[in-house]
Structures are given as structure tokens and as C-alpha cells.
Amino acid sequence: MFSTNLSEAFERLLFLYIAEVILGFILFFIFRHFGNLYRRRFLYTWSLSWLAFALHIACTSVVILLTNQNPSIPRFIFNVVSQLASFLQIIFLLRGTYEMVYERAFSKKQFRVILISTIIIALLTVFILRQDNDYGYVRHLLRVGSRTLVTGIGFLITGVVVWHNKKFTKGFGQRLLAASFLFYSVYQLYTFIIVMLDVADPYWYTPGVTDLFLIAVIGIGMVMWLLEDEQEKLEQANRELDQFLYSTSHDLRAPIASILGLTYLGKLEFEEEKARTFMDMIETRIKKLDLIISDILNLSRSKKIDVRIEELDLKEMIDNTVMDIKFNKGASAISLDYKHESSHKFKSDFNQMKIILNNLMGNAVKYHNIHQENPYIRVTFFRKKDAVEIGIEDNGQGIPEDSLPKIFDMFYRASPITEGTGLGLYIVKEALTKINGTIEVKSRYGKGSVFTIILADA
């Protein structure tokens, strides 16, 4: 009757055993991969916890298969390995949590002591009373009770740490991970109480649907928390980089302004033509550097400023832009063609639109052909249901066809002799992304270009 119960229990749960072993190996490879990819020690240690779990379940299934087999030595070996793997699962789980919280490796000397002690305990809990059928309850308590007690306490400690420690990014993944740890802990401690009180069939605790579900949730929670944690670290790094770029660029503009002032005085004071030529060359290089820093500041400012949607008047935006670029070289020779109507209003963010129009119209001036007849910049407005299209057209130099797919890339310049920094159109694209907009371009080299801004829900 005893062996029959074992056989029936294993046949009923064979699929769940296989599923848990597969799940354990999948999570082992996932966390091993992320550990190597991000070079984070605790992820690698957690992967070993999943490997130990898979080994524990696999050996447990073999033990049940060998229950009525003779001799019993193989069954004893698998019992020891199963018990040891169960303990190692918790040891690696706690060690990984320690490495994550304190950001340092666990002492190898201490770990060796723990490992040796664990091996001895696993041997003792399996070896003691293994041949004495009169003490089945005690044997059952030593093996299964110790395993469920250690597992319950280990997951309880880890769940509390995950829930409260500031090292864990607060988000849905963190809450799911902590909750699944705590639920699994309660489930294991409840199993320990049942075993201790001896109020159920000795094999009712065999891993089943509940174990599979909770382990799967723990795995999902770990992966979700890891992704949230990496996203938070990436966002923090981006914020720090933006702040660094903004502060550095802002601080650099003051000495550049001083140098420009000195070159201006030098050209007034120097009488030698060669000295003035050198001053002109210095001034040109300094202005190029100032332009680069200005574009970096615009990019940083575009990323830092929060979007605030409000109703904007295109005429006011254009007038504002013209005031900013009217002193640019060649701007006075270019006519502005824009027919204002009262309906030329739309909803968007003022600061982002100012950055976009300044860059597009500034480029139209910079790359124009002012020696041709009637150089112009034409601005158009068209509304299509909830979307708005704003066109910036010029009859300037145009863009080579092979350069069109790359003009919005960072630091890309269509020609090495151009005055730009390669950031202007990249900044335009980034600003449009923040206000749910896109941009299209059509150009003929030597004839001119048309940039069309498309704003959704405007």
C-alpha cells in the first residue's frame, strides 16, 4: 500500500516535476546571462540558486522512482543530493541578496564553512534512522521538515529585504517579487507545520501546481524587477550625463565670450595685416566652438524641459524665431514668405517648437544661396483633422540625395566644409519625439529643400 501510494503520487505529478525542472534551468540560464551581461555578481549567484532548485526537484523525482528498488544505496545518494540542493538553493539566494545589498562579494572563507556545514547536515538528515521503520515520523521530520523550514525562513528573509531595502528599485516587479517570496515562504512554513504535527499523508507535500505557480511568479518577478532596475539606472545615468553636459557647456561659454572679445580688440589694435589675419582665424575657430557648445546646450535643454501643452499661434512663433536669427550671416538678403491667417493655431509645447523652428529656419539661412535672384524662406500651415503640418521651404543649396537618410543622425554633416555641428537636425528630431511629432524632408541638390513638421493631436 505504501509503495502504491508513492507510485500513484509520482505518476500524477510527473508532468509537474518535469515542468519545474525545466523552469529551474530556464531561470538559471536567464540570470547567468544577465549576470555576465551586466557584470553583476548577485545575478550570477541567484542563477546558481535556480540551478540548485532544478537539481533538487530532479533528484527528488529519481528518489521516488527508486523507492521500491534494491539495493537502496543509489536512492540514498539521490536523497542526499536532493537534500543538499534544497539547502543550497536558499544559501545561494541569501548570498546573492547579500551581494546585491552590500555590493561586495561574500567571504569565500565563510562560504566554505557554510558549505561544509550544509553537506554534513544534509548527510545527517538523510542518514539518521534511514533503516528504522519504527521512526518514520522522526525521519520524515528530519528530511522534509528541515527542508521546508530552511526554505520558508530563507524566502521570508529575502522577501522582507526585497520589500524594504532601498537597493531594490521600487516598481511593480519589486512588489511582485517580494510578494511571491513572502507567499512561498508562508507556503513552506505551513508545510513544515503540517509535517511537524503529522496531520496529513506523508506525501501530500510533493511539489505540485502550487509550487510550480509560485516559482514561476518568483521568476517573472525577478526578471521584471531586473528590467525595471536597469531602466532606472540607465535613466539616472542619462540625467547625470545631461546635467554634466549642461553645466560644462554653460561654464565654457564665459571664457569663449572673453576670447572673442579679445580677438575683436586685437583686430582694432594690431596694425599689421598678418596679425589681423591671425585674429580672424582665431575668431572663426572660436565661433565654431561656440556654435557646438550652443547646440549641446540646446540638446540638453530640450531633454531637461518638461513638456507643457498650450495653444500656440504660428505667427508669434515665427516672429520670435526671426528675432533670434535676423542677425545671422546672410539673413537680411533672404525674404520671408508667410501668409498668416487667424486659423494658424495649434496645441503644442512652446519651448520645443521654438527649438525646432530656430534650427530649421536657422539652417535655411545658413545653407542658402543669397547670390541668386529672390532667395526666400516659405512657411506654410495645413490642418488635417487633429493633425497639423508646418512646412519650411527654401530655394537654397539643397541636400545631396545620398545624404537625406542620414541628416537626422547625431553629428552627421552632409559636407565636411559646412559650418554646422551636425547636431541641429538631431535636436529637431529629439524635440519632435517629445511632443508626438514627426518630420519629413524633400530636397533637390542645388534647388532647395522642404521640411514638413507633422504634429499629431495638435
Side-chain angles (χ1 to χ4, degrees), residues 48-62:
L48 296 178
S49 175
W50 288 114
L51 181 63
F53 167 78
L55 183 61
H56 159 61
I57 297 298
C59 289
T60 300
S61 63
V62 174

Side-chain angles (χ1 to χ4, degrees), residues 26 59 72 95 100 109 121 145 283 299 312 324 358 389 406 453 455:
I26 289 174
C59 289
S72 61
R95 175 179 169 175
M100 191 273 178
K109 183 178 180 181
I121 293 172
E283 183 180 25
L299 177 60
L312 303 176
D324 290 339
N358 276 17
E389 295 183 4
K406 298 176 282 187
I453 302 166
L455 301 174

Side-chain angles (χ1 to χ4, degrees), residues 74-91:
R75 188 169 72 251
F76 172 74
I77 294 174
F78 279 104
N79 249 322
V80 172
V81 175
S82 174
Q83 192 81 340
L84 178 60
S86 176
F87 292 153
L88 286 177
Q89 178 192 7
I90 305 306
I91 290 172

Side-chain angles (χ1 to χ4, degrees), residues 7-18:
S7 177
E8 291 177 353
F10 180 71
E11 290 177 0
R12 186 172 63 249
L13 298 170
L14 179 61
F15 176 79
L16 294 173
Y17 274 122
I18 295 172

Side-chain angles (χ1 to χ4, degrees), residues 96-276:
T97 305
Y98 172 90
E99 292 171 344
M100 191 273 178
V101 172
Y102 294 102
E103 297 182 345
R104 64 172 181 265
F106 192 79
S107 169
K108 290 183 179 180
K109 183 178 180 181
Q110 292 180 1
F111 184 72
R112 280 197 297 268
V113 173
I114 294 173
L115 184 59
I116 293 171
S117 302
T118 303
I119 293 173
I120 293 172
I121 293 172
L123 282 168
L124 290 175
T125 53
V126 175
F127 185 80
I128 294 176
L129 302 175
R130 72 186 186 96
Q131 299 291 348
D132 198 335
N133 293 329
D134 294 333
Y135 294 93
Y137 163 73
V138 178
R139 185 172 61 247
H140 184 62
L141 182 61
L142 283 172
R143 296 181 184 181
V144 181
S146 62
R147 189 163 64 227
T148 54
L149 178 62
V150 170
T151 303
I153 294 175
F155 275 91
L156 177 63
I157 294 172
T158 307
V160 172
V161 172
V162 172
W163 189 271
H164 290 288
N165 197 280
K166 294 181 180 179
K167 294 285 185 179
F168 285 80
T169 301
K170 303 301 179 184
F172 179 77
Q174 175 263 343
R175 291 191 293 271
L176 179 63
L177 178 59
S180 59
F181 275 149
L182 294 174
F183 276 120
Y184 194 68
S185 168
V186 171
Y187 174 72
Q188 291 294 323
L189 292 175
Y190 173 74
T191 303
F192 169 72
I193 293 173
I194 295 298
V195 172
M196 185 176 64
L197 296 179
D198 194 26
V199 294
D201 185 280
Y203 302 100
W204 78 274
Y205 63 88
T206 304
V209 176
T210 305
D211 296 77
L212 182 62
F213 173 76
L214 290 175
I215 292 296
V217 173
I218 290 172
I220 293 171
M222 278 186 170
V223 173
M224 290 184 65
W225 167 78
L226 176 62
L227 295 176
E228 291 173 351
D229 186 61
E230 289 302 318
Q231 182 182 6
E232 174 64 25
K233 283 179 168 54
L234 181 61
E235 290 175 353
Q236 177 65 25
N238 285 336
R239 287 193 295 268
E240 291 173 355
L241 180 59
D242 287 342
Q243 184 62 40
F244 170 77
L245 287 175
Y246 182 82
S247 300
T248 305
S249 302
H250 188 272
D251 292 342
L252 284 173
R253 297 205 74 183
I256 285 176
S258 299
I259 296 172
L260 284 172
L262 291 172
T263 58
Y264 176 73
L265 291 174
K267 288 192 294 184
L268 293 178
E269 295 293 331
F270 294 149
E271 296 181 357
E272 295 183 12
E273 188 63 30
K274 194 171 185 179
R276 290 185 178 182

Side-chain angles (χ1 to χ4, degrees), residues 264-448:
Y264 176 73
L265 291 174
K267 288 192 294 184
L268 293 178
E269 295 293 331
F270 294 149
E271 296 181 357
E272 295 183 12
E273 188 63 30
K274 194 171 185 179
R276 290 185 178 182
T277 301
F278 286 147
M279 286 295 107
D280 285 337
M281 293 171 65
I282 293 172
E283 183 180 25
T284 300
R285 299 298 184 272
I286 292 297
K287 284 184 176 179
K288 178 65 177 292
L289 179 59
D290 187 52
L291 182 61
I292 294 173
I293 293 174
S294 178
D295 279 347
I296 292 174
L297 280 171
N298 285 334
L299 177 60
S300 179
R301 193 176 294 115
S302 173
K303 288 179 175 292
K304 289 168 68 71
I305 296 174
D306 293 329
V307 172
R308 186 169 67 91
I309 303 299
E310 57 184 319
E311 187 173 76
L312 303 176
D313 189 308
L314 182 59
K315 184 179 185 306
E316 293 179 3
M317 296 295 303
I318 292 174
D319 290 344
N320 197 307
T321 301
V322 169
M323 289 295 293
D324 290 339
I325 67 173
K326 69 178 182 179
F327 296 112
N328 290 10
K329 182 179 177 180
S332 59
I334 304 171
S335 63
L336 176 64
D337 182 7
Y338 170 61
K339 297 179 175 58
H340 173 253
E341 294 183 12
S342 59
S343 61
H344 290 184
K345 295 182 179 181
F346 59 100
K347 293 181 179 180
S348 191
D349 178 81
F350 174 84
N351 291 308
Q352 302 297 337
M353 284 302 303
K354 178 177 171 63
I355 290 172
I356 293 165
L357 292 175
N358 276 17
N359 274 286
L360 292 178
M361 295 185 70
N363 281 352
V365 171
K366 186 186 302 180
Y367 303 114
H368 220 297
N369 179 12
I370 60 175
H371 302 295
Q372 66 178 323
E373 182 180 353
N374 187 31
Y376 67 83
I377 296 175
R378 180 175 295 130
V379 181
T380 59
F381 181 94
F382 177 72
R383 176 174 289 280
K384 186 177 181 180
K385 295 182 179 179
D386 293 333
V388 164
E389 295 183 4
I390 300 173
I392 310 293
E393 180 183 354
D394 66 73
N395 59 343
Q397 298 176 13
I399 305 169
E401 185 176 355
D402 59 345
S403 296
L404 285 175
K406 298 176 282 187
I407 60 173
F408 294 102
D409 295 345
M410 182 183 286
F411 296 120
Y412 179 78
R413 294 188 296 169
S415 171
I417 62 173
T418 56
E419 299 178 2
T421 64
L423 280 173
L425 291 179
Y426 174 79
I427 293 171
V428 167
K429 185 184 70 173
E430 290 296 302
L432 281 167
T433 299
K434 294 192 70 173
I435 56 175
N436 195 24
T438 57
I439 188 168
E440 298 175 353
V441 58
K442 295 180 181 178
S443 184
R444 293 178 60 196
Y445 189 57
K447 298 293 183 180

